Each structure stands twice: as C-alpha cells, then as structure tokens.
Amino acid sequence: MRVDPRRMRERMVDEQIVARGITDPRLLSVMRELPRHLFVEEAMAKQAYMDNPLPIGEGQTISQPYIVALMTELLQVEPGMKVLEIGTGSGYQAAVLAKLGADVHTVERIPKLCETARDRLRSMALFNVHVKLDDGTLGWPSIAPFDRILVTAGGPEVPPPLVDQLAEGGRLVMPVGPARRLQSLVLIEKKDGQVLRQDICGVQFVDLVGAHGW
Ligand code: SAH
C-alpha cells in the first residue's frame, strides 16, 4: 500500500468510531493498532479502512469497522474472559477480542475461510484464538460456559444452545431478524438465572446458516 496504513487506521477510528460515540479506550487503541488491511485480499487492502463491509470470498463479508466496535463495546470484554464467536470469517473480530486479552474460541462453517483465518491469526502470533470448523449455532459445548458470546451473522432467533452455554453474569450480542433484511442487534444478559433481552439498533449481516439458523 502506498498510503500509510497507520494513518488510515487513525482516521478510521476518529471519523467512523469515536465520532459515532464509541468511548472504550482499550478498544479504540486495539483498533488503532490492528492491521485490518491484512484481513482482506491484497487487491482490496486500500479499501480495508473504509466505512463499509468488504467481501472476503465465499459470499461472506468482513463487518464495517464501526459495527465491529459497537458489538465489541456492548460485549464489555475483560482480560482473561472466555469468549465464543460464531462466524470467524476473516478473523478480524476474533483478533480484536484476542488483543483485548480474551481467551477466544471462534467457529466458522466454511472450510476455506476457517483455514485462511487460522493461518492468518497464527502468523500474527495471536495464540489465544482457537478456530474450529463446525456449525456454530450448536456452540462449543466442551469449552462452555462462556463469559461472552458474539454472533457475527444474522439468524431468525438466538440459538438456544448459545443461551445455555452463556455463563451466569454473561453477555451475548447477535443480529436477530429476517435473512438479508434489516435485523435488530440484540444484547442478552444472564442475571440471577434470568435471561434479559434488549434491542440496540438496526443492522444488516450475512446469514447464520445451521441447525438453529437459516
Ligand atoms: N466476524 C467476521 C465476519 C463474519 S461474516 C470477521 O471479522 O471477518 C459471517 C461469517 O459467519 C461467515 O464467514 C459465515 O460463513 C459464518 N457463518 C454463518 N453461519 C455459521 C454457522 N452456523 N456456524 C459458523 N459460522 C457461520
């Protein structure tokens, strides 16, 4: 890239993320540091810091930077927490969670994306991310319970296994709603055995495909 990626990241964070109200200083510094252009194909590197999602192959996308920031801030991740992500895609969101100090477990259903993301995260020495090829709507029962769960694809409902695998005091964030139309970003909190649900805003994600998806 001829343009300095560090400067592009600074602008991305200031103009797209801080300007829209994200304030978590640890998250902002991770997004200023993490080389997002290495999570897309080289031909698209220059577009990596733009205010939109980008194709990553197999009909899937890497989410818009602001949406990554919004979902991550809602999740309130602390170092050492066990986090489950459904929909590894490029691995960018998993890398953000890992840089926040979480122990990240991420599930992807498309083999090629799974392999590429695994190699990419390893080459960046992000050894606190574990990538699995599977249907993520079933969760990751052998590792559960999780302090935090993030679903980065839109489904008709929150898959019941994910609610079961959420720890007491845990938070889950997921786009819920009709396929390829406006969905609602939902925050679920498990408190005193109760499951509380809050709708945050409208979003549009690729489809969650699986036993508890489309
Ligand atoms: N978090 C990604 C973007 C996700 S795009 C990033 O940072 O790049 C959504 C991803 O969810 C796609 O890669 C898609 O293949 C995957 N997906 C859809 N349904 C899934 C399921 N049931 N289990 C695991 N992954 C799924």
Side-chain angles (χ1 to χ4, degrees):
M1 259 205 310
R2 249 178 293 141
V3 194
D4 176 9
R6 182 165 292 276
R7 283 187 53 195
M8 292 179 80
R9 279 200 294 282
E10 288 289 338
R11 279 190 64 175
M12 172 190 86
V13 170
D14 291 343
E15 294 174 8
Q16 302 171 32
I17 297 174
V18 174
R20 293 187 179 123
I22 303 292
T23 57
D24 179 347
R26 287 191 312 129
L27 171 60
L28 295 176
S29 94
V30 164
M31 292 188 75
R32 284 187 210 279
E33 290 298 321
L34 192 63
R36 183 173 158 94
H37 63 282
L38 300 183
F39 290 82
V40 297
E41 280 181 24
E42 222 174 314
M44 249 182 302
K46 277 189 186 159
Q47 297 166 61
Y49 297 101
M50 288 167 66
D51 195 12
N52 46 256
L54 283 177
I56 54 171
E58 313 287 319
Q60 307 303 322
T61 55
I62 176 173
S63 307
Q64 180 187 0
Y66 170 65
I67 294 295
V68 172
L70 176 65
M71 290 174 102
T72 311
E73 189 171 66
L74 280 170
L75 218 53
Q76 297 179 2
V77 175
E78 299 294 336
M81 279 185 171
K82 210 194 304 176
V83 179
L84 175 66
E85 181 199 23
I86 308 307
T88 314
S90 68
Y92 178 71
Q93 173 73 71
V96 169
L97 296 167
K99 288 280 186 189
L100 287 169
D103 178 21
V104 183
H105 297 263
T106 179
V107 186
E108 172 56 55
R109 62 178 282 275
I110 299 179
K112 187 163 182 292
L113 294 177
C114 182
E115 266 170 50
T116 309
R118 190 182 278 141
D119 291 347
R120 185 177 278 147
L121 293 161
R122 197 176 294 148
S123 73
M124 293 180 179
L126 289 170
F127 302 120
N128 53 334
V129 186
H130 310 275
V131 188
K132 179 166 89 144
L133 179 69
D134 206 346
D135 173 4
T137 68
L138 304 171
W140 196 327
S142 61
I143 309 284
F146 295 95
D147 302 303
R148 302 289 185 257
I149 300 180
L150 180 57
V151 185
T152 62
E157 54 164 337
V158 180
L162 299 187
V163 180
D164 292 345
Q165 291 173 31
L166 187 63
E168 170 61 33
R171 294 165 78 85
L172 177 156
V173 173
M174 168 176 169
V176 177
R180 287 172 290 276
R181 301 239 302 277
L182 197 66
Q183 300 137 2
S184 176
L185 190 62
V186 165
L187 168 65
I188 299 252
E189 289 174 90
K190 222 184 226 188
K191 270 189 194 157
D192 306 321
Q194 280 194 318
V195 177
L196 312 173
R197 177 186 161 137
Q198 218 178 308
D199 288 71
I200 305 295
C201 63
V203 285
Q204 205 168 4
F205 272 79
V206 296
D207 295 347
L208 181 69
V209 181
H212 298 277
W214 299 107

